[in-house]
Amino acid sequence: MTIKDVAEKYDLSQDTLRYYEKVGLIPKVNRTSGGVRDYTDQDLANVEFVKCMRQAGLSIEVLARYISLSQKGDSTVLERRQILIDERDRLKMRMEEMQETLDRLNFKITNYDRVLRGEARLKREDI
Amino acid sequence: MTIKDVAEKYDLSQDTLRYYEKVGLIPKVNRTSGGVRDYTDQDLANVEFVKCMRQAGLSIEVLARYISLSQKGDSTVLERRQILIDERDRLKMRMEEMQETLDRLNFKITNYDRVLRGEARLKREDI
DNA sequence: TCTTGACTTAGACTTAGGTCCAAGGTTTAA
DNA sequence: TTAAACCTTGGACCTAAGTCTAAGTCAAGA
């Protein structure tokens, strides 16, 4: 599969795919005789994984470390597992914070609704 | 309250507080005769609100727009409400994506656990 | 009065994560 | 065989959101 197809399939730019490969988020992709990238199913699985993790906010740095360990084989399983645990915990915490903000936004929206229905007045101390 | 106290109270740098004021996330803070910032309770409420929203990922730009509308009085209530609704929906969507990633991380961690207990083998296709 | 420490500003610098560009090589349909 | 559409690279550039620096002002204690 060419870089163009992969870019379309996962809605990432070709530049981003090259960048991910350069910084180690995707192991070196095989080339045709002419030097053109030819993505395998393995590569696609990798792209998809990285895209998902990036969307959730995992850093390039930590993902590159994880992918690099994956390349080194079974001896790195414990370390890889620990990375995932750390990132999962971090993610969970961020989600809990976000939930609080979500609740707060909903509260404020409800308050605006009441103001708009004339059931309440705006107070200058709520921002 | 001085900038130092506010910075400590909310665990933000003094630079960040000045920056937030400069870009309009906090309305102009009053100064002492010597030109030194003196934060009111209103200002503190504002800082706290902005900190919370920034942590959840709302952009400086959208927050500045919201704060600016708040300064303009009651005629902007409808528009402010719409900003909050849009941002809430965006936040909700991001949290749903993050939940999927969280599930996936948990699945992978469980899989590593089984590998470590010798109940399963690593497959090269799971990254 | 002098020193110390906190405050001020404008503006340069930093970091993460891409994005864009120029100059050139490759592939493919006509 | 040649034009169009693709691919390659290195490196410059961009954006968001701060962070740092220099040079100067101010307030309080010895």
Side-chain angles (χ1 to χ4, degrees):
Chain A
M1 217 176 190
T2 69
I3 198 169
K4 185 172 194 255
D5 299 330
V6 179
E8 272 165 26
K9 186 171 166 79
Y10 294 106
D11 197 26
L12 295 168
S13 76
Q14 300 183 26
D15 275 320
T16 297
L17 287 169
R18 288 191 204 98
Y19 171 72
Y20 281 0
E21 186 176 340
K22 190 166 74 175
V23 298
L25 288 201
I26 301 157
K28 296 291 170 204
V29 174
N30 277 349
R31 309 301 182 97
T32 64
S33 55
V36 174
R37 286 177 180 79
D38 184 22
Y39 289 77
T40 64
D41 287 358
Q42 254 309 299
D43 293 326
L44 297 194
N46 223 309
V47 167
E48 193 275 328
F49 173 72
V50 163
K51 182 187 174 177
C52 175
M53 296 298 140
R54 285 290 303 131
Q55 273 176 351
L58 277 72
S59 73
I60 299 276
E61 191 198 343
V62 76
L63 287 172
R65 194 147 43 82
Y66 179 77
I67 297 292
S68 154
L69 288 170
S70 298
Q71 298 300 103
K72 290 193 194 142
D74 294 17
S75 64
T76 63
V77 165
L78 204 57
E79 201 176 341
R80 281 189 259 166
R81 174 176 164 277
Q82 194 54 50
I83 290 176
L84 296 191
I85 287 173
D86 292 347
E87 293 306 309
R88 179 201 56 192
D89 293 348
R90 217 185 295 285
L91 186 53
K92 228 185 215 165
M93 273 182 44
R94 271 192 290 139
M95 287 180 68
E96 280 161 16
E97 280 180 7
M98 286 165 91
Q99 184 60 53
E100 282 173 36
T101 305
L102 191 59
D103 293 344
R104 189 159 174 180
L105 284 172
N106 277 323
F107 181 84
K108 291 175 75 59
I109 289 165
T110 305
N111 193 44
Y112 277 136
D113 287 344
R114 289 195 297 116
V115 169
L116 287 166
R117 285 200 304 273
E119 297 168 22
R121 298 210 152 274
L122 267 190
K123 296 168 201 151
R124 128 209 53 20
E125 71 266 27
D126 22 80
I127 298 128
Chain B
M1 216 178 191
T2 69
I3 198 168
K4 184 170 194 260
D5 300 331
V6 180
E8 271 165 26
K9 187 171 165 77
Y10 294 107
D11 197 25
L12 294 168
S13 76
Q14 300 184 26
D15 276 320
T16 297
L17 287 168
R18 290 192 202 96
Y19 171 73
Y20 281 179
E21 186 176 341
K22 190 167 72 175
V23 299
L25 287 200
I26 301 156
K28 296 291 171 205
V29 173
N30 277 347
R31 309 301 182 99
T32 64
S33 55
V36 173
R37 285 176 181 80
D38 184 21
Y39 289 76
T40 65
D41 286 357
Q42 253 309 301
D43 293 326
L44 297 194
N46 223 309
V47 167
E48 192 275 327
F49 174 71
V50 163
K51 182 187 174 178
C52 176
M53 295 298 141
R54 283 291 303 131
Q55 273 176 351
L58 277 72
S59 73
I60 299 277
E61 191 198 342
V62 77
L63 287 171
R65 194 147 43 81
Y66 179 78
I67 297 292
S68 155
L69 287 170
S70 297
Q71 298 301 102
K72 290 194 191 139
D74 293 17
S75 64
T76 63
V77 165
L78 203 58
E79 200 176 342
R80 281 189 259 165
R81 175 175 164 279
Q82 194 55 51
I83 290 176
L84 296 191
I85 288 173
D86 291 348
E87 293 305 310
R88 179 201 53 191
D89 293 349
R90 217 185 295 285
L91 187 53
K92 226 185 218 166
M93 271 183 43
R94 269 191 293 138
M95 286 179 67
E96 280 160 17
E97 280 180 8
M98 286 164 90
Q99 183 60 55
E100 282 173 36
T101 305
L102 191 59
D103 293 344
R104 189 160 173 178
L105 283 171
N106 276 323
F107 181 84
K108 291 174 74 61
I109 289 165
T110 305
N111 193 45
Y112 277 137
D113 287 344
R114 289 195 296 116
V115 169
L116 287 165
R117 285 200 305 273
E119 297 168 22
R121 296 213 154 270
L122 268 189
K123 295 168 202 154
R124 127 207 55 19
E125 70 267 26
D126 21 80
I127 297 128

